Amino acid sequence: MEVLWAVGQVGAVWVAVVFGLIVLPSALGISLGISEAYMWVLVKTLEWATIRLQKGVKKPQPQMPQTPTANGIIERDETPMEKEIARLHRADFEFSHIFYFCRKGFEAIVEDEVTQRFSSEELLSWNLLTRTNVNFHYISLRLTVVWVIGVIVRYCFLLPLRFTLAAIGITSMIVGTTAVGQLPNGSVKNYLSEVVHLTCSRILVRALSGTIHYHNKENRPQKGGICVANHTSPIDAIILTNDGCYAMVGQVHGGLMGVIQRATVKACPHVWFERSEIKDRHLVTKRLREHVADKSKLPILIFPEGTCINNTSVMMFKKGSFEIGGTIYPVAIKYDPQFGDAFWNSSKYNIVSYLLRIMTSWAIVCNVWYLPPMVREEDEDAVQFANRVRSAIARQGGLTELPWDGGLKRAKVKDTFKEEQQKNYSKMLVRNGSIG
């Protein structure tokens, strides 16, 4: 009994400290400077580790990538096929002309530019996490000691603290939205719903030791609009909701996620689809148009890529989000991988494993840029509009723009893509007089 009483006392003190120093300031939108002090110590420690690592390395190390897109093992010729074909038109067809396509095939086999976007990006320096390199902590004794201390801090202090905050944030979200959902529709209900969403999102951001820098806040999405952003992680929605409320769009889930969805939709006009409904593009477009037509409703938050990309690139935006009409508010999100890898490789880790990796990282640090609102031009179709928005997000976030569908993460290349390449090749042969 005495042991249980002691454990209960420790638990009560722990919860009281967490509420007083973190939860309450988060709910009020103020900071006591604890996060800033932690980040300062963390940055200084990582800088020391980098210097120590450079001094301790006796043998030459492979040159580290200078940019996120320069981590390939082959040097590519980025000449598009159209230019290559135009150059070949200057002479009669020769057997050597097929070497261009052979080279492209070998490049795709060795290292294509799509699948590498579904694995974690390489770091410029070690961040004292074993998952980024299993050998660096053997460089020197002092580096090993610091690494061991870091493991103890992350798993014995930060993980329990973050788990406690996450439990408080999720519980508050479910209870708060359920209570607000009982009120009649009106301005009071909308106001309280936004308060609950903002408060709980701030607590959840603290659960990730999140440090978020928002830029150009004058461009924040307005009611009746559509917010589109690049997608790196499931926490993207929390990152954005920490600065403003949105109506989420997504598929109905089971388990804990389903409980949260059913609770939040009572207080906020989120748009959840059943699995059978989400395949009906016309039904989805109809429901989203009805939402956008009501200027009193929160802006819709959509991730047009449809899957998580590894924080280095922006892949094809699906056109459905850009057929709805209304004003598009582009948002670029870029995480700093030095403090923790926010990318979710859903093909490799389930959501529980992913959250464990996130909560045992040093912190989640990112920049969010609100871009000027964009509208579809008269001579623009949905695909062209989507590409224009994607280009703006890629430029602002310093991300590589790729035309490929993120669905290739789980599916094979469509036959139409193969046929397009075959048609281009056949045109080259016909124009050079090799056929007919």
Side-chain angles (χ1 to χ4, degrees):
M1 292 296 294
E2 293 182 357
V3 174
L4 294 178
W5 181 84
V7 172
Q9 290 294 105
V10 171
V13 172
W14 172 260
V15 173
V17 171
V18 170
F19 259 97
L21 298 181
I22 301 178
V23 175
L24 187 58
S26 299
L28 299 177
I30 61 178
S31 174
L32 300 180
I34 299 176
S35 298
E36 290 77 3
Y38 168 71
M39 291 303 301
W40 182 86
V41 172
L42 181 58
V43 169
K44 293 299 181 182
T45 303
L46 294 179
E47 290 177 352
W48 174 87
T50 301
I51 296 173
R52 189 67 191 174
L53 185 64
Q54 293 172 349
K55 291 181 179 180
V57 174
K58 302 300 181 182
K59 57 182 180 180
Q61 295 293 311
Q63 185 176 1
M64 299 301 289
Q66 298 301 315
T67 62
T69 59
N71 57 356
I73 60 176
I74 59 176
E75 184 176 351
R76 296 180 181 272
D77 179 8
E78 299 299 337
T79 304
M81 180 182 292
E82 291 76 12
K83 291 186 178 180
E84 187 71 15
I85 293 176
R87 184 182 67 81
L88 296 179
H89 287 170
R90 301 171 187 169
D92 294 335
F93 174 76
E94 298 179 1
F95 186 73
S96 61
H97 290 168
I98 68 171
F99 290 165
Y100 170 79
F101 300 95
C102 293
R103 185 180 75 246
K104 289 297 183 183
F106 288 135
E107 289 178 354
I109 293 173
V110 174
E111 184 187 52
D112 68 275
E113 63 179 359
V114 177
T115 54
Q116 61 178 316
R117 311 299 174 177
F118 303 135
S119 58
S120 298
E121 60 180 318
E122 294 185 34
L123 299 179
L124 298 179
S125 61
W126 188 41
N127 60 356
L128 296 177
L129 296 177
T130 309
R131 66 191 67 146
T132 54
N133 193 293
V134 297
N135 298 316
F136 281 161
H137 58 274
Y138 297 116
I139 294 294
S140 71
L141 178 60
R142 278 190 284 182
L143 199 61
T144 302
V145 171
V146 172
W147 173 76
V148 171
I149 293 174
V151 172
I152 295 174
V153 169
R154 288 188 292 111
Y155 283 89
C156 298
F157 177 71
L158 292 180
L159 180 58
L161 173 63
R162 291 167 176 171
F163 181 81
T164 302
L165 290 172
I168 294 173
I170 293 174
T171 303
S172 301
M173 178 75 75
I174 295 174
V175 174
T177 53
T178 301
V180 172
Q182 306 305 314
L183 299 176
N185 293 332
S187 58
V188 174
K189 179 179 180 179
N190 294 337
Y191 172 76
L192 293 178
S193 174
E194 293 185 19
V195 170
V196 170
H197 280 81
L198 284 173
T199 301
C200 296
S201 296
R202 289 168 180 168
I203 296 173
L204 292 174
V205 167
R206 296 292 178 91
L208 301 172
S209 298
T211 299
I212 312 167
H213 306 285
Y214 298 96
H215 307 275
N216 306 322
K217 288 191 175 185
E218 66 276 8
N219 296 325
R220 279 189 296 188
Q222 303 297 317
K223 291 185 177 181
I226 303 173
C227 174
V228 298
N230 57 300
H231 198 23
T232 303
S233 163
I235 66 174
D236 291 340
I238 299 175
I239 297 297
L240 293 177
T241 307
N242 182 66
D243 192 49
C245 289
Y246 298 88
M248 307 294 177
V249 177
Q251 181 178 300
V252 173
H253 293 274
L256 177 60
M257 183 61 70
V259 174
I260 297 174
Q261 286 181 328
R262 290 190 293 272
T264 55
V265 77
K266 296 177 181 178
C268 184
H270 299 300
V271 184
W272 306 126
F273 295 96
E274 296 289 348
R275 185 178 296 273
S276 58
E277 294 178 334
I278 204 166
K279 295 180 180 179
D280 188 342
R281 187 167 61 88
H282 297 289
L283 174 62
V284 173
T285 302
K286 178 176 179 295
R287 289 185 61 183
L288 294 182
R289 279 178 176 165
E290 291 175 352
H291 183 102
V292 173
D294 189 347
K295 300 304 179 182
S296 64
K297 291 186 176 181
L298 295 174
I300 295 178
L301 175 59
I302 300 178
F303 301 104
E305 290 169 296
T307 190
C308 296
I309 312 298
N310 74 345
N311 196 43
T312 66
S313 311
V314 180
M315 301 189 77
M316 185 185 78
F317 279 6
K318 292 179 171 56
K319 66 177 182 178
S321 308
F322 302 88
E323 294 176 328
I324 302 171
T327 304
I328 298 292
Y329 295 88
V331 175
I333 306 174
K334 177 67 175 178
Y335 292 90
D336 189 338
Q338 179 184 9
F339 304 97
D341 183 18
F343 168 62
W344 181 32
N345 186 352
S346 56
S347 300
K348 187 176 181 180
Y349 303 104
N350 58 34
I351 188 64
V352 176
S353 300
Y354 168 74
L355 291 177
L356 180 62
R357 290 170 62 87
I358 286 290
M359 289 191 172
T360 54
S361 296
W362 292 117
I364 295 298
V365 180
C366 71
N367 286 279
V368 176
W369 290 275
Y370 298 109
L371 279 66
M374 303 174 69
V375 294
R376 182 173 168 181
E377 299 177 354
E378 294 183 0
D379 58 344
E380 229 177 11
D381 59 25
V383 174
Q384 293 171 332
F385 186 29
N387 291 337
R388 182 159 63 92
V389 174
R390 182 188 64 185
S391 298
I393 292 176
R395 284 194 304 269
Q396 181 62 76
L399 304 168
T400 302
E401 185 179 0
L402 296 176
W404 300 99
D405 185 357
L408 294 173
K409 185 176 184 178
R410 301 178 183 85
K412 295 181 179 180
V413 178
K414 295 181 181 179
D415 291 337
T416 53
F417 287 113
K418 300 178 183 178
E419 293 173 359
E420 183 179 355
Q421 302 298 320
Q422 293 169 351
K423 289 178 181 178
N424 288 335
Y425 184 45
S426 64
K427 289 178 183 178
M428 185 191 72
L429 295 179
V430 171
R431 291 177 182 175
N432 281 283
S434 299
I435 296 179

